[in-house]
């Protein structure tokens, strides 16, 4: 898993997972939200925090060349209220093999 932010030059900067693949996605629950690492990027679906996204870099995802402590440093801090959320996924036919769908299990099962 990777996170991205818009750098000061306007280009996208990719941030790698720190310390291996464990907890790259630590929670994916429609009643809670999604969490990339426990704190790298947390997007809440809980009613009282709906639209809130928080980020802390350095623990589970690298800080990158700008040494940001959050994905949102450039716009003022560790959390933002989202205007919207887009999710991009692959489209597969019933029974079609999904590439890498078992990769995490394969890496940790042995």
């Amino acid at each position: 898993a990777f996170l991205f932010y818009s750098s000061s030059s306007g280009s996208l900067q990719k941030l790698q997972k720190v310390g291996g693949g464990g907890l790259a996605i630590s929670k994916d629950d429609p009643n809670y939200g999604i969490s990339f690492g426990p704190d790298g990027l947390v997007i809440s679906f809980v009613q009282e925090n709906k639209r809130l996204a928080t980020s802390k870099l350095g623990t589970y995802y690298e800080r990158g060349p700008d040494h940001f402590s959050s994905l949102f440093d450039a716009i003022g801090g560790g959390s933002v209220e989202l205007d919207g959320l887009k999710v991009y996924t692959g489209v597969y036919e019933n029974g079609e093999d999904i590439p890498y769908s078992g990769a995490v299990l394969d890496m940790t099962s042995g």
Side-chain angles (χ1 to χ4, degrees):
F2 302 98
L3 294 175
F4 294 85
Y5 71 85
S6 182
S7 71
S8 55
S9 68
S11 63
L12 288 179
Q13 175 62 49
K14 181 166 91 173
L15 301 175
Q16 296 183 31
K17 172 73 179 66
V18 174
L23 292 176
I25 303 290
S26 63
K27 193 164 205 151
D28 184 4
D29 179 346
N31 296 314
Y32 165 81
I34 189 165
S35 177
F36 292 81
D39 56 7
L41 174 61
V42 179
I43 301 171
S44 176
F45 297 160
V46 179
Q47 187 61 40
E48 59 270 11
N49 290 328
K50 207 169 194 173
R51 297 183 171 262
L52 182 68
T54 61
S55 172
K56 178 181 175 191
L57 300 175
T59 311
Y60 291 90
Y61 285 87
E62 69 178 328
R63 292 177 183 263
D66 293 313
H67 305 287
F68 282 175
S69 60
S70 164
L71 290 171
F72 311 122
D73 271 5
I75 55 174
S79 65
V80 297
E81 185 174 323
L82 299 176
D83 290 332
L85 176 65
K86 292 182 182 181
V87 178
Y88 297 94
T89 64
V91 177
Y92 301 95
E93 298 293 327
N94 280 340
E96 183 180 354
D97 188 38
I98 301 172
Y100 307 109
S101 63
V104 173
L105 293 175
D106 290 347
M107 291 180 351
T108 60
S109 62

